Amino acid sequence: MRHKVTLIPGEGIGPEVAGAVRRILEAAGVQIDWEEVEARAEKASASGQFVTEGAVESVRRNHVALKGPMGTAIAGGAPSINVALRKTLNLYANVRPVKNLPGVKSRFEDVDVVLIRENTEDLYSGLEHEVVPGVVESLKIITEKASTAIAQFAFKYAMREGRKKIHAIHKANIMKLSDGLFLKSIRVVAQQYPQIEYKEMIVDNACMQIVLNPQQFDMLLLPNLYGDVMSDLAAGLVGGLGVVGSANVGDEAAMFEAVHGTAPDIAGKGLANPTALLLSSIMMLDYLGERSAARRIEAALAKVHKEGKHITHDVGGKAGTTEFTDALISSLHAG
Ligand code: NAI
C-alpha cells in the first residue's frame, strides 16, 4: 500500500538524518510519497505564520508527519512548530517507548517501558500572570475530558501492543483536586479493561523506583509535567534521547519526531546519527500498519549497533551518517 506522509526535515542536522531515514525506509520496500515541507525557524516572521501554515495544512491533509529538529527561540521569537501542530491538530498523546538498543551502552538491561504523557494541559496551558509585583501565578489545568481521553488512549494502546500493566503517576496526596481528578478519570476507564493490571504511584516514588528497578514497569500514564520529566529520565536509563523514538498522536493525525535538537556543532559535517529519527519512523510504520517493515528495520538497527563497526561518533564509533546508513541498508538486504 502507498502512503502519503508530510516530511518536515527541520534544521541543522535535520535534513541529514531525514535523508538517511528516507533511504532506509525505501530500502525496506515501504512505499511512501513524501510531501516535504520546508519549515525553518530561521526564516520565520516574528508571528511564526510562515513556519507553521504550510506544515499544519500538509499534516491536516496527510494525517501523518515525520519531523526533524528545529531551532526554537527562547523567551520570544517565533512560536514553536511543535506547539502549533499539537494545538491545531489536537495531538493529545505523547508516546515514548523506552527500550534497550543492543550494543548501545546504558546503565540498565532489559528495560522495556512505554510512557504515555498527556500533551495538552496541566501547567503547560500557558496561563500565567503576575498577581502583584514579585508574585506570579501559573494555573495547573486538569480536565475530566482530557484525562479520560488520555486514559482511553493508553488502555487501547496496551491492548493493541500486548502490554499487561499500567501505572498512573500522580501527586494526588498533595494536589488532591487536580491530580485527584486525573486519577478518578483514569480509574473509570481502567474498569473497562480488566485484562490490564492497573496501579497508581506517587511521582517522587516513581522516579526512585524507575532508577532502582526499571523492569517492574510496563507502561506509565502521566499528566503533562510529570510526563515531560519522566520521559527524559526514562530515556537516560537506556542511553539517552539519541536512542529513543517519540510520537505525538491525536484522533485525526500523528506526528513522529526525533527529540534531540539541531546539533549546530556537527550540522553539515556528515556526522549526525539518524537512529533517533529512525526509531520514530519505526513507530510511524507501526501506525501506518507496515508492521513487517518496522520489525525488519528494527532488527537491522539492532544488528548494526551490536556489531559496532559502523556506528557514529556520538555512540563511540567512527562512522559518518552515510557509512552508518549504508551498513543498515546492507543489513536489511542481507536479513
Ligand atoms: P542538541 O540535541 O541539538 O545537541 C546536544 C548535543 O548532542 C550536541 O553535542 C550535538 O552534537 C549532539 N547530538 C544531538 N543529536 C545528535 C545526533 N542525531 N547525532 C549526533 N549527535 C547529536 O541540543 P542543543 O544544542 O541544546 O540545541 C540546539 C538547538 O536545537 C536549539 O536551537 C534548540 O532549541 C533546538 N532543539 C530542538 C528540538 C526539537 O526540534 N525537537 C529539541 C531540542 C532542541
Side-chain angles (χ1 to χ4, degrees):
M1 188 182 163
R2 286 198 86 79
H3 307 279
K4 193 149 190 201
V5 174
T6 299
L7 178 67
I8 307 168
E11 295 165 294
I13 58 168
E16 297 167 59
V17 291
V21 167
R22 267 178 89 147
R23 280 187 60 207
I24 293 164
L25 265 52
E26 201 177 295
V30 188
Q31 298 187 317
I32 295 181
D33 295 326
W34 297 99
E35 186 172 297
E36 196 166 323
V37 178
E38 206 210 348
R40 299 170 77 85
E42 66 194 15
K43 284 194 182 171
S45 63
S47 71
Q49 278 306 90
F50 178 81
V51 185
T52 55
E53 251 174 25
V56 169
E57 280 319 305
S58 173
V59 184
R60 233 196 254 288
R61 257 196 316 275
N62 299 326
H63 307 288
V64 184
L66 184 65
K67 181 190 155 293
M70 288 184 59
T72 314
I74 294 172
S80 138
I81 192 167
N82 269 343
V83 175
L85 284 165
R86 263 180 225 166
K87 280 194 178 156
T88 324
L89 302 165
N90 192 25
L91 305 178
Y92 60 86
N94 181 262
V95 184
R96 177 86 63 90
V98 174
K99 199 174 168 179
N100 294 95
L101 195 57
V104 171
K105 250 196 2 211
S106 62
R107 289 181 180 271
F108 295 93
E109 284 171 9
D110 303 324
V111 178
D112 184 4
V113 55
V114 179
L115 290 92
I116 308 281
R117 162 187 168 196
E118 202 288 324
N119 230 354
T120 65
E121 52 182 27
D122 194 354
L123 278 163
Y124 292 60
S125 304
L127 299 172
E128 292 188 312
H129 67 119
E130 188 178 53
V131 183
V132 290
V135 181
V136 294
E137 187 177 37
S138 290
L139 299 181
K140 171 168 164 133
I141 306 293
I142 299 285
T143 65
E144 186 179 347
K145 189 174 172 206
S147 304
T148 304
I150 196 70
Q152 270 162 352
F153 179 93
F155 280 89
K156 277 186 199 153
Y157 181 101
M159 294 296 290
R160 195 175 63 240
E161 301 295 327
R163 296 265 160 187
K164 305 272 179 273
K165 185 168 56 178
I166 294 182
H167 277 85
I169 307 300
H170 66 95
K171 190 80 186 175
N173 51 331
I174 306 295
M175 280 161 278
K176 294 178 193 295
L177 280 183
S178 54
D179 284 13
L181 179 58
F182 181 71
L183 282 187
K184 279 184 197 158
S185 310
I186 297 171
R187 285 176 195 158
V188 173
V189 176
Q191 280 177 354
Q192 297 158 18
Y193 293 88
Q195 313 89 320
I196 309 291
E197 188 182 350
Y198 173 66
K199 293 189 158 183
E200 295 170 355
M201 195 178 276
I202 294 174
V203 62
D204 37 357
N205 182 30
C207 288
M208 179 185 72
Q209 292 291 339
I210 201 165
V211 171
L212 282 176
N213 176 17
Q215 294 84 2
Q216 70 182 292
F217 295 109
D218 191 12
M219 280 180 69
L220 303 185
L221 172 54
L222 313 102
N224 210 340
L225 176 62
Y226 313 147
D228 194 2
V229 176
M230 279 200 80
S231 51
D232 279 18
L233 167 61
L237 304 175
V238 299
L241 293 181
V243 287
V244 293
S246 178
N248 295 298
V249 185
D251 293 331
E252 303 293 326
M255 178 173 73
F256 300 84
E257 62 177 335
V259 279
H260 58 68
T262 56
D265 51 337
I266 58 163
K269 295 183 180 162
L271 297 174
N273 183 357
T275 297
L277 192 61
L278 188 62
L279 284 162
S280 302
S281 79
I282 290 172
M283 295 172 74
M284 182 183 82
L285 293 181
D286 280 328
Y287 182 85
L288 291 171
E290 296 282 356
R291 290 197 166 245
S292 133
R295 297 294 82 74
R296 282 188 289 121
I297 297 173
E298 214 165 52
L301 184 64
K303 197 166 158 214
V304 170
H305 275 98
K306 219 170 179 174
E307 280 174 3
K309 280 193 220 147
H310 304 290
I311 55 173
T312 48
H313 292 251
D314 55 309
V315 285
K318 292 194 168 63
T321 314
T322 308
E323 184 183 330
F324 170 82
T325 309
D326 288 346
L328 212 142
I329 290 173
S330 303
S331 170
L332 258 178
H333 288 150

